[in-house]
Coordinates of all heavy atoms in Angstrom, one line a residue:
D7 N -35.4 -98.6 171.0 CA -36.0 -98.8 172.3 C -34.8 -98.9 173.3 O -34.2 -99.9 173.4 CB -36.9 -100.0 172.3 CG -37.4 -100.3 173.7 OD1 -37.3 -99.4 174.6 OD2 -38.0 -101.4 173.9
N8 N -34.5 -97.8 174.0 CA -33.4 -97.8 174.9 C -33.6 -98.7 176.2 O -32.6 -99.0 176.9 CB -33.0 -96.4 175.4 CG -32.4 -95.6 174.2 OD1 -31.9 -96.2 173.3 ND2 -32.4 -94.3 174.3
S9 N -34.8 -99.1 176.4 CA -35.0 -100.0 177.6 C -34.3 -101.4 177.4 O -34.1 -102.1 178.4 CB -36.5 -100.2 177.9 OG -37.1 -100.9 176.8
R10 N -34.0 -101.7 176.2 CA -33.3 -103.0 175.9 C -31.8 -102.9 176.0 O -31.1 -103.8 175.9 CB -33.7 -103.4 174.5 CG -35.2 -103.8 174.4 CD -35.5 -104.3 173.0 NE -34.4 -105.1 172.4 CZ -34.4 -105.4 171.2 NH1 -35.3 -105.1 170.3 NH2 -33.4 -106.2 170.7
L11 N -31.3 -101.6 176.2 CA -29.9 -101.5 176.3 C -29.3 -101.7 177.7 O -30.0 -101.5 178.6 CB -29.5 -100.0 175.9 CG -29.8 -99.6 174.5 CD1 -29.5 -98.1 174.4 CD2 -29.0 -100.3 173.5
W12 N -28.1 -102.2 177.8 CA -27.4 -102.2 179.1 C -26.0 -101.7 178.9 O -25.5 -101.7 177.8 CB -27.5 -103.6 179.7 CG -26.7 -104.6 179.1 CD1 -25.4 -104.9 179.4 CD2 -27.1 -105.6 178.1 NE1 -25.0 -106.0 178.6 CE2 -26.0 -106.5 177.9 CE3 -28.3 -105.9 177.5 CZ2 -26.1 -107.5 177.0 CZ3 -28.3 -106.9 176.6 CH2 -27.2 -107.7 176.4
A13 N -25.4 -101.2 179.9 CA -24.1 -100.6 179.9 C -23.1 -101.6 180.2 O -23.3 -102.5 181.1 CB -24.0 -99.4 180.8
Q14 N -21.9 -101.6 179.5 CA -20.8 -102.5 179.8 C -19.5 -101.7 179.8 O -19.3 -101.0 178.8 CB -20.8 -103.5 178.6 CG -19.7 -104.5 178.7 CD -19.9 -105.5 179.8 OE1 -21.0 -106.0 180.1 NE2 -18.8 -105.7 180.6
K15 N -18.7 -101.9 180.8 CA -17.4 -101.3 180.8 C -16.5 -102.1 180.0 O -16.5 -103.3 180.0 CB -16.9 -101.2 182.3 CG -17.6 -100.3 183.2 CD -17.0 -98.9 183.0 CE -17.6 -98.0 184.1 NZ -17.3 -96.6 183.8
V16 N -15.6 -101.4 179.2 CA -14.6 -102.1 178.4 C -13.2 -101.8 179.0 O -13.1 -101.0 179.9 CB -14.7 -101.6 176.9 CG1 -16.0 -102.2 176.3 CG2 -14.6 -100.1 176.8
K17 N -12.2 -102.5 178.5 CA -10.8 -102.4 179.1 C -10.3 -101.0 179.3 O -9.6 -100.8 180.2 CB -9.9 -103.2 178.2 CG -10.1 -104.7 178.3 CD -9.0 -105.4 177.5 CE -9.2 -106.9 177.5 NZ -8.3 -107.7 176.7
D18 N -10.6 -100.1 178.3 CA -10.0 -98.8 178.4 C -10.8 -97.9 179.4 O -10.6 -96.7 179.4 CB -9.8 -98.1 177.1 CG -11.1 -97.9 176.3 OD1 -12.2 -98.1 176.9 OD2 -11.0 -97.4 175.2
G19 N -11.8 -98.4 180.1 CA -12.6 -97.6 181.0 C -13.8 -97.0 180.5 O -14.6 -96.5 181.2
R20 N -14.0 -97.0 179.1 CA -15.2 -96.5 178.5 C -16.4 -97.3 178.9 O -16.3 -98.5 179.1 CB -15.1 -96.4 177.0 CG -14.1 -95.4 176.5 CD -14.0 -95.5 175.0 NE -13.6 -96.8 174.5 CZ -14.3 -97.5 173.6 NH1 -15.3 -96.9 172.9 NH2 -14.0 -98.7 173.2
T21 N -17.6 -96.7 178.8 CA -18.8 -97.5 178.9 C -19.4 -97.5 177.5 O -19.6 -96.5 176.9 CB -19.8 -96.8 179.9 OG1 -19.2 -96.7 181.2 CG2 -21.1 -97.5 180.0
V22 N -19.8 -98.7 177.1 CA -20.5 -98.9 175.8 C -21.8 -99.4 176.1 O -22.1 -100.1 177.1 CB -19.7 -99.8 174.8 CG1 -18.4 -99.2 174.4 CG2 -19.5 -101.2 175.4
H23 N -22.8 -99.1 175.2 CA -24.1 -99.6 175.4 C -24.3 -100.8 174.5 O -23.9 -100.9 173.4 CB -25.1 -98.5 175.0 CG -25.1 -97.3 175.9 ND1 -25.6 -97.4 177.2 CD2 -24.5 -96.1 175.8 CE1 -25.3 -96.3 177.8 NE2 -24.7 -95.5 177.0
V24 N -24.8 -101.9 175.1 CA -25.0 -103.2 174.5 C -26.5 -103.4 174.3 O -27.3 -103.3 175.2 CB -24.4 -104.3 175.4 CG1 -24.5 -105.6 174.7 CG2 -22.9 -104.0 175.7
S25 N -26.8 -103.9 173.1 CA -28.2 -104.2 172.8 C -28.3 -105.7 172.6 O -27.5 -106.4 172.0 CB -28.6 -103.6 171.5 OG -28.6 -102.2 171.6
P26 N -29.4 -106.3 173.1 CA -29.6 -107.7 172.9 C -29.9 -108.1 171.5 O -30.5 -107.2 170.7 CB -30.8 -108.1 173.8 CG -31.5 -106.8 174.1 CD -30.5 -105.7 173.9
C27 N -29.6 -109.2 171.1 CA -29.8 -109.7 169.7 C -30.0 -111.2 169.8 O -29.4 -111.9 170.5 CB -28.6 -109.3 168.9 SG -28.7 -109.8 167.2
N28 N -31.0 -111.7 169.0 CA -31.2 -113.2 169.0 C -31.2 -113.7 167.6 O -32.3 -113.8 167.0 CB -32.4 -113.5 169.8 CG -32.6 -115.0 170.0 OD1 -31.6 -115.7 169.9 ND2 -33.8 -115.5 170.3
V29 N -30.1 -113.9 167.0 CA -30.0 -114.3 165.6 C -29.2 -115.6 165.6 O -28.2 -115.7 166.2 CB -29.3 -113.2 164.7 CG1 -29.0 -113.8 163.3 CG2 -30.1 -112.0 164.7
E30 N -29.7 -116.6 164.8 CA -29.0 -117.8 164.6 C -29.3 -118.3 163.2 O -30.4 -118.3 162.7 CB -29.6 -118.9 165.6 CG -29.0 -120.3 165.4 CD -29.5 -121.3 166.4 OE1 -29.7 -120.9 167.6 OE2 -29.8 -122.4 166.0
E31 N -28.2 -118.5 162.5 CA -28.3 -118.9 161.1 C -27.2 -119.9 160.8 O -26.1 -120.0 161.4 CB -28.0 -117.7 160.1 CG -29.1 -116.7 160.1 CD -30.4 -117.2 159.4 OE1 -30.3 -118.1 158.6 OE2 -31.5 -116.7 159.7
V32 N -27.5 -120.8 159.8 CA -26.5 -121.7 159.3 C -25.8 -121.1 158.1 O -26.4 -120.6 157.2 CB -27.2 -123.0 158.8 CG1 -26.2 -124.0 158.1 CG2 -27.9 -123.7 159.9
G33 N -24.4 -121.0 158.2 CA -23.6 -120.4 157.2 C -23.4 -118.9 157.5 O -24.2 -118.2 157.9
L34 N -22.1 -118.5 157.2 CA -21.7 -117.1 157.5 C -22.5 -116.1 156.6 O -22.9 -115.1 157.1 CB -20.2 -117.0 157.3 CG -19.7 -115.6 157.6 CD1 -19.9 -115.3 159.1 CD2 -18.2 -115.6 157.3
K35 N -22.7 -116.4 155.3 CA -23.4 -115.5 154.5 C -24.8 -115.3 155.0 O -25.3 -114.1 155.1 CB -23.4 -116.0 153.0 CG -24.0 -115.0 152.1 CD -23.9 -115.4 150.6 CE -24.5 -114.3 149.7 NZ -24.3 -114.7 148.3
N36 N -25.5 -116.3 155.3 CA -26.9 -116.2 155.8 C -26.9 -115.4 157.1 O -27.8 -114.5 157.3 CB -27.5 -117.6 156.1 CG -27.8 -118.4 154.8 OD1 -27.9 -117.8 153.8 ND2 -27.8 -119.7 155.0
F37 N -25.9 -115.6 157.9 CA -25.8 -114.9 159.2 C -25.6 -113.4 159.0 O -26.3 -112.6 159.6 CB -24.7 -115.5 160.0 CG -24.4 -114.8 161.3 CD1 -25.3 -115.0 162.4 CD2 -23.4 -113.9 161.5 CE1 -25.1 -114.3 163.6 CE2 -23.2 -113.3 162.7 CZ -24.0 -113.5 163.8
V38 N -24.6 -113.0 158.1 CA -24.3 -111.6 157.9 C -25.5 -110.9 157.2 O -25.9 -109.8 157.7 CB -23.1 -111.5 157.0 CG1 -22.9 -110.1 156.5 CG2 -21.8 -111.9 157.7
V39 N -26.2 -111.6 156.3 CA -27.4 -111.0 155.6 C -28.5 -110.8 156.7 O -29.1 -109.7 156.7 CB -27.8 -111.9 154.5 CG1 -29.2 -111.4 154.0 CG2 -26.8 -111.8 153.3
R40 N -28.7 -111.7 157.5 CA -29.7 -111.6 158.6 C -29.4 -110.5 159.6 O -30.3 -109.7 159.9 CB -29.9 -112.9 159.3 CG -30.8 -112.9 160.5 CD -32.2 -113.4 160.2 NE -33.0 -113.3 161.4 CZ -33.1 -114.3 162.3 NH1 -32.5 -115.5 162.1 NH2 -33.9 -114.2 163.3
I41 N -28.1 -110.4 160.0 CA -27.7 -109.4 160.9 C -28.0 -108.0 160.3 O -28.5 -107.1 160.9 CB -26.3 -109.5 161.3 CG1 -26.1 -110.7 162.3 CG2 -25.7 -108.2 162.0 CD1 -26.7 -110.5 163.7
M42 N -27.6 -107.9 159.0 CA -27.8 -106.6 158.3 C -29.3 -106.2 158.3 O -29.7 -105.1 158.5 CB -27.2 -106.7 156.9 CG -25.7 -106.7 156.9 SD -24.9 -106.9 155.3 CE -26.1 -106.4 154.1
K43 N -30.1 -107.2 158.1 CA -31.6 -107.0 158.0 C -32.1 -106.6 159.4 O -32.9 -105.7 159.6 CB -32.3 -108.2 157.4 CG -33.8 -108.0 157.3 CD -34.3 -109.3 156.7 CE -35.8 -109.2 156.5 NZ -36.4 -110.4 155.9
E44 N -31.8 -107.4 160.4 CA -32.3 -107.2 161.8 C -31.9 -105.9 162.3 O -32.6 -105.2 163.1 CB -31.7 -108.3 162.7 CG -32.2 -109.7 162.4 CD -33.6 -110.0 163.0 OE1 -33.9 -109.4 164.1 OE2 -34.3 -110.8 162.5
L45 N -30.7 -105.4 162.0 CA -30.1 -104.2 162.6 C -30.3 -103.0 161.6 O -29.7 -101.9 161.9 CB -28.7 -104.3 163.0 CG -28.4 -105.5 164.0 CD1 -27.0 -105.6 164.4 CD2 -29.3 -105.3 165.3
S46 N -30.9 -103.2 160.5 CA -31.1 -102.2 159.5 C -29.7 -101.6 159.1 O -29.5 -100.4 159.1 CB -32.0 -101.1 160.0 OG -33.3 -101.6 160.2
L47 N -28.7 -102.4 158.8 CA -27.4 -102.0 158.4 C -27.2 -102.2 156.9 O -27.8 -103.1 156.3 CB -26.3 -102.9 159.1 CG -26.2 -102.8 160.6 CD1 -25.2 -103.7 161.1 CD2 -25.9 -101.3 161.1
W48 N -26.4 -101.4 156.3 CA -26.0 -101.6 154.9 C -24.4 -101.7 155.0 O -23.8 -100.8 155.5 CB -26.4 -100.5 154.0 CG -26.0 -100.8 152.6 CD1 -26.6 -101.6 151.7 CD2 -24.8 -100.4 152.0 NE1 -25.9 -101.7 150.5 CE2 -24.8 -100.9 150.7 CE3 -23.7 -99.5 152.3 CZ2 -23.8 -100.7 149.8 CZ3 -22.7 -99.3 151.4 CH2 -22.8 -99.9 150.2
M49 N -23.9 -102.8 154.5 CA -22.5 -102.9 154.4 C -22.1 -103.0 152.9 O -22.6 -103.8 152.2 CB -22.0 -104.1 155.1 CG -22.2 -104.0 156.6 SD -21.4 -105.3 157.6 CE -22.7 -106.5 157.7
G50 N -21.2 -102.1 152.5 CA -20.8 -102.1 151.1 C -20.0 -103.3 150.8 O -19.8 -104.2 151.6
P51 N -19.5 -103.4 149.5 CA -18.8 -104.6 149.1 C -17.4 -104.7 149.7 O -16.8 -105.8 149.7 CB -18.7 -104.4 147.6 CG -18.8 -102.9 147.4 CD -19.7 -102.4 148.5
D52 N -16.8 -103.6 150.2 CA -15.5 -103.7 150.8 C -15.6 -104.0 152.3 O -16.5 -103.5 153.0 CB -14.8 -102.3 150.6 CG -14.6 -102.0 149.1 OD1 -14.4 -103.0 148.3 OD2 -14.6 -100.8 148.8
V53 N -14.7 -104.7 152.8 CA -14.7 -105.1 154.2 C -13.2 -105.4 154.6 O -12.3 -105.7 153.8 CB -15.5 -106.4 154.4 CG1 -14.9 -107.6 153.7 CG2 -15.8 -106.7 155.8
K54 N -12.9 -105.3 155.9 CA -11.7 -105.8 156.5 C -12.1 -106.9 157.4 O -12.5 -106.6 158.5 CB -10.9 -104.7 157.2 CG -10.1 -103.8 156.3 CD -9.2 -103.0 157.2 CE -8.2 -102.2 156.3 NZ -7.4 -101.3 157.1
F55 N -12.0 -108.1 157.0 CA -12.4 -109.3 157.7 C -11.2 -110.1 158.1 O -10.5 -110.6 157.3 CB -13.4 -110.1 156.9 CG -14.1 -111.2 157.6 CD1 -15.3 -111.0 158.2 CD2 -13.5 -112.5 157.8 CE1 -16.0 -112.0 158.9 CE2 -14.2 -113.5 158.5 CZ -15.4 -113.2 159.0
N56 N -11.0 -110.2 159.4 CA -9.9 -111.0 160.0 C -10.4 -112.5 160.1 O -11.2 -112.8 161.0 CB -9.5 -110.4 161.3 CG -8.3 -111.1 161.9 OD1 -8.0 -112.2 161.5 ND2 -7.7 -110.4 162.8
M57 N -9.8 -113.3 159.3 CA -10.1 -114.7 159.3 C -9.2 -115.5 160.3 O -8.2 -116.0 159.9 CB -10.0 -115.3 157.9 CG -10.5 -116.8 157.8 SD -12.3 -117.0 157.9 CE -12.8 -116.7 156.3
C58 N -9.6 -115.4 161.6 CA -8.9 -116.1 162.6 C -7.4 -115.8 162.6 O -6.6 -116.7 162.8 CB -9.1 -117.6 162.5 SG -10.8 -118.1 162.6
S59 N -7.0 -114.6 162.3 CA -5.6 -114.1 162.3 C -4.8 -114.8 161.2 O -3.6 -114.7 161.2 CB -5.0 -114.2 163.6 OG -5.6 -113.4 164.6
N60 N -5.5 -115.5 160.3 CA -4.7 -116.2 159.2 C -4.7 -115.3 157.9 O -3.9 -115.5 157.1 CB -5.4 -117.5 158.9 CG -5.2 -118.5 160.0 OD1 -4.1 -118.6 160.6 ND2 -6.2 -119.2 160.4
A61 N -5.7 -114.4 157.8 CA -5.8 -113.6 156.6 C -6.7 -112.5 156.9 O -7.7 -112.6 157.6 CB -6.3 -114.4 155.4
I62 N -6.5 -111.3 156.2 CA -7.4 -110.2 156.2 C -8.0 -110.2 154.8 O -7.3 -110.0 153.8 CB -6.7 -108.9 156.5 CG1 -5.9 -108.9 157.8 CG2 -7.6 -107.7 156.4 CD1 -6.9 -109.0 159.0
M63 N -9.3 -110.3 154.7 CA -10.0 -110.3 153.4 C -10.6 -109.0 153.2 O -11.1 -108.4 154.2 CB -10.9 -111.5 153.4 CG -10.2 -112.8 153.5 SD -11.3 -114.2 153.3 CE -10.1 -115.5 153.6
T64 N -10.7 -108.6 152.0 CA -11.2 -107.2 151.7 C -12.5 -107.1 150.9 O -12.9 -106.1 150.5 CB -10.1 -106.4 151.0 OG1 -9.7 -107.1 149.8 CG2 -8.8 -106.2 151.8
N65 N -13.1 -108.3 150.6 CA -14.4 -108.2 150.0 C -15.2 -109.4 150.4 O -14.7 -110.5 150.8 CB -14.3 -108.1 148.4 CG -13.8 -109.4 147.8 OD1 -14.4 -110.4 147.9 ND2 -12.6 -109.3 147.2
W66 N -16.5 -109.2 150.5 CA -17.4 -110.2 151.0 C -17.4 -111.5 150.2 O -17.5 -112.6 150.8 CB -18.9 -109.7 151.1 CG -19.0 -108.7 152.2 CD1 -19.3 -107.4 152.1 CD2 -19.0 -109.0 153.6 NE1 -19.4 -106.8 153.3 CE2 -19.2 -107.8 154.3 CE3 -18.8 -110.1 154.4 CZ2 -19.2 -107.7 155.7 CZ3 -18.8 -110.0 155.8 CH2 -19.0 -108.8 156.4
H67 N -17.2 -111.5 149.0 CA -17.2 -112.7 148.1 C -16.1 -113.6 148.6 O -16.3 -114.8 148.8 CB -17.0 -112.3 146.7 CG -16.9 -113.6 145.8 ND1 -15.7 -114.3 145.6 CD2 -17.8 -114.2 145.1 CE1 -16.0 -115.3 144.8 NE2 -17.2 -115.3 144.5
D68 N -14.9 -113.1 148.8 CA -13.8 -113.9 149.3 C -14.0 -114.4 150.7 O -13.7 -115.5 151.0 CB -12.5 -113.0 149.3 CG -12.0 -112.7 147.9 OD1 -12.5 -113.4 147.0 OD2 -11.1 -111.9 147.8
V69 N -14.6 -113.6 151.6 CA -14.9 -114.0 153.0 C -15.9 -115.2 152.9 O -15.6 -116.3 153.6 CB -15.6 -112.9 153.8 CG1 -16.1 -113.4 155.1 CG2 -14.6 -111.8 154.0
F70 N -16.9 -115.1 152.2 CA -17.9 -116.2 152.1 C -17.3 -117.5 151.5 O -17.6 -118.6 151.9 CB -19.2 -115.8 151.4 CG -19.9 -114.6 152.1 CD1 -20.5 -113.6 151.4 CD2 -19.9 -114.6 153.5 CE1 -21.1 -112.6 152.1 CE2 -20.6 -113.5 154.2 CZ -21.2 -112.5 153.4
H71 N -16.5 -117.3 150.4 CA -15.9 -118.4 149.7 C -14.9 -119.1 150.7 O -14.9 -120.4 150.8 CB -15.2 -118.0 148.5 CG -14.5 -119.1 147.7 ND1 -15.3 -120.0 147.0 CD2 -13.3 -119.4 147.6 CE1 -14.4 -120.9 146.5 NE2 -13.2 -120.5 146.8
A72 N -14.1 -118.4 151.4 CA -13.1 -118.9 152.3 C -13.8 -119.7 153.4 O -13.4 -120.8 153.8 CB -12.2 -117.9 152.9
E73 N -14.9 -119.1 154.0 CA -15.6 -119.8 155.1 C -16.2 -121.1 154.6 O -16.1 -122.1 155.2 CB -16.7 -118.9 155.6 CG -17.4 -119.4 156.8 CD -18.7 -120.2 156.5 OE1 -19.1 -120.2 155.4 OE2 -19.1 -120.9 157.5
S74 N -16.7 -121.1 153.4 CA -17.3 -122.3 152.8 C -16.2 -123.4 152.6 O -16.4 -124.6 152.9 CB -18.0 -122.0 151.4 OG -18.4 -123.1 150.8
C75 N -15.1 -123.0 152.1 CA -14.0 -124.0 151.9 C -13.4 -124.5 153.2 O -13.2 -125.7 153.4 CB -12.8 -123.3 151.1 SG -13.2 -123.0 149.4
Y76 N -13.3 -123.6 154.2 CA -12.8 -124.0 155.5 C -13.7 -125.0 156.2 O -13.3 -126.0 156.7 CB -12.6 -122.7 156.3 CG -12.1 -122.9 157.7 CD1 -10.8 -123.2 158.0 CD2 -13.0 -122.7 158.8 CE1 -10.3 -123.3 159.3 CE2 -12.5 -122.9 160.1 CZ -11.2 -123.2 160.3 OH -10.7 -123.3 161.6
T77 N -15.0 -124.7 156.1 CA -16.0 -125.6 156.7 C -16.0 -126.9 156.0 O -16.0 -128.0 156.7 CB -17.4 -124.9 156.5 OG1 -17.4 -123.7 157.3 CG2 -18.5 -125.8 157.1
A78 N -15.9 -127.0 154.7 CA -15.9 -128.2 154.0 C -14.6 -129.0 154.3 O -14.6 -130.2 154.5 CB -16.0 -128.0 152.5
A79 N -13.5 -128.3 154.4 CA -12.2 -129.0 154.7 C -12.2 -129.6 156.1 O -11.6 -130.6 156.3 CB -11.1 -128.0 154.6
L80 N -12.9 -129.0 157.0 CA -13.0 -129.6 158.4 C -14.1 -130.7 158.5 O -14.2 -131.3 159.5 CB -13.4 -128.5 159.4 CG -12.3 -127.4 159.6 CD1 -12.8 -126.3 160.6 CD2 -11.0 -128.1 160.2
G81 N -14.8 -130.9 157.4 CA -15.8 -131.9 157.4 C -17.1 -131.5 158.1 O -17.9 -132.4 158.6
I82 N -17.3 -130.2 158.3 CA -18.5 -129.7 159.0 C -19.7 -129.6 158.0 O -19.5 -129.0 157.0 CB -18.2 -128.3 159.6 CG1 -17.1 -128.5 160.7 CG2 -19.5 -127.8 160.3 CD1 -16.6 -127.2 161.2
S83 N -20.8 -130.2 158.3 CA -21.9 -130.2 157.4 C -22.8 -129.0 157.7 O -23.5 -128.5 156.8 CB -22.7 -131.5 157.5 OG -23.2 -131.7 158.8
R84 N -22.9 -128.5 158.9 CA -23.7 -127.4 159.3 C -23.0 -126.5 160.3 O -22.8 -126.9 161.5 CB -25.0 -128.0 160.0 CG -26.3 -127.7 159.4 CD -27.4 -128.4 160.2 NE -27.7 -127.7 161.4 CZ -28.7 -126.9 161.5 NH1 -29.5 -126.7 160.5 NH2 -29.0 -126.3 162.6
R85 N -22.6 -125.4 159.9 CA -21.9 -124.4 160.8 C -22.9 -123.3 161.2 O -23.4 -122.6 160.4 CB -20.7 -123.8 160.1 CG -19.8 -123.1 161.0 CD -18.5 -122.7 160.2 NE -17.6 -122.2 161.2 CZ -16.3 -122.5 161.3 NH1 -15.8 -123.4 160.4 NH2 -15.5 -122.0 162.2
V86 N -23.2 -123.3 162.5 CA -24.2 -122.4 163.0 C -23.5 -121.2 163.6 O -22.6 -121.3 164.4 CB -25.1 -123.0 164.1 CG1 -26.1 -122.1 164.6 CG2 -25.8 -124.3 163.4
Y87 N -24.0 -120.0 163.2 CA -23.5 -118.7 163.8 C -24.6 -118.1 164.6 O -25.8 -118.1 164.2 CB -23.1 -117.7 162.6 CG -21.9 -118.2 161.9 CD1 -22.0 -119.1 160.8 CD2 -20.6 -117.8 162.3 CE1 -20.9 -119.5 160.2 CE2 -19.5 -118.2 161.6 CZ -19.6 -119.1 160.5 OH -18.5 -119.5 159.8
R88 N -24.2 -117.5 165.8 CA -25.2 -117.0 166.7 C -24.7 -115.6 167.2 O -23.6 -115.4 167.3 CB -25.4 -117.8 167.9 CG -26.0 -119.1 167.6 CD -26.3 -119.9 168.9 NE -27.0 -121.1 168.6 CZ -26.5 -122.3 168.8 NH1 -25.3 -122.5 169.3 NH2 -27.3 -123.4 168.5
C89 N -25.7 -114.7 167.4 CA -25.4 -113.4 168.0 C -26.4 -113.2 169.1 O -27.6 -113.4 169.0 CB -25.6 -112.3 166.9 SG -25.4 -110.6 167.6
F90 N -25.9 -112.9 170.3 CA -26.7 -112.7 171.5 C -26.8 -111.2 171.9 O -27.7 -110.8 172.5 CB -26.2 -113.5 172.7 CG -26.2 -115.0 172.4 CD1 -25.0 -115.6 172.1 CD2 -27.4 -115.7 172.4 CE1 -25.0 -117.0 171.8 CE2 -27.4 -117.0 172.1 CZ -26.2 -117.7 171.8
A91 N -25.8 -110.4 171.5 CA -25.7 -109.0 171.8 C -24.8 -108.3 170.9 O -23.9 -109.0 170.3 CB -25.3 -108.8 173.3
F92 N -24.9 -107.0 170.7 CA -24.1 -106.3 169.9 C -23.8 -104.8 170.4 O -24.6 -104.3 171.2 CB -24.6 -106.2 168.4 CG -25.9 -105.4 168.3 CD1 -25.8 -104.0 167.9 CD2 -27.1 -105.9 168.6 CE1 -26.9 -103.2 167.8 CE2 -28.2 -105.1 168.5 CZ -28.1 -103.8 168.1
T93 N -22.8 -104.2 169.9 CA -22.5 -102.8 170.2 C -22.3 -102.2 168.8 O -21.9 -102.9 167.8 CB -21.3 -102.6 171.1 OG1 -20.1 -103.0 170.4 CG2 -21.4 -103.2 172.4
H94 N -22.5 -100.9 168.7 CA -22.3 -100.2 167.5 C -21.6 -98.9 167.8 O -22.0 -98.1 168.6 CB -23.6 -99.9 166.8 CG -23.4 -99.1 165.5 ND1 -22.8 -99.6 164.4 CD2 -23.7 -97.8 165.3 CE1 -22.8 -98.7 163.5 NE2 -23.3 -97.6 164.0
E95 N -20.4 -98.7 167.1 CA -19.7 -97.4 167.3 C -19.6 -96.8 165.9 O -18.9 -97.4 165.0 CB -18.3 -97.6 167.9 CG -18.4 -98.1 169.3 CD -17.0 -98.3 169.9 OE1 -16.2 -97.3 169.8 OE2 -16.8 -99.3 170.5
P96 N -20.2 -95.7 165.6 CA -20.1 -95.1 164.3 C -18.7 -94.6 164.0 O -17.9 -94.4 164.8 CB -21.1 -94.0 164.3 CG -21.7 -93.9 165.7 CD -21.1 -95.0 166.5

């Protein structure tokens, strides 16, 4: 439904189309799984995930494990992830 899209200029002058999204989940794995479901995406087992510029992880298992350890080390009992809008470039 293109009526939900809006245009946004980016730094290099291009216009990208932004779609609204209202997803909120506790835990990164729950969030990623929900985003995939909401947007009808399939992401394979390989990934390039930048963990706050501290590491580049190449598989989802490591990403979810690192996030869980990081959250526990900080003493966070509930880490909430939210998405309000998204863009997609094939």
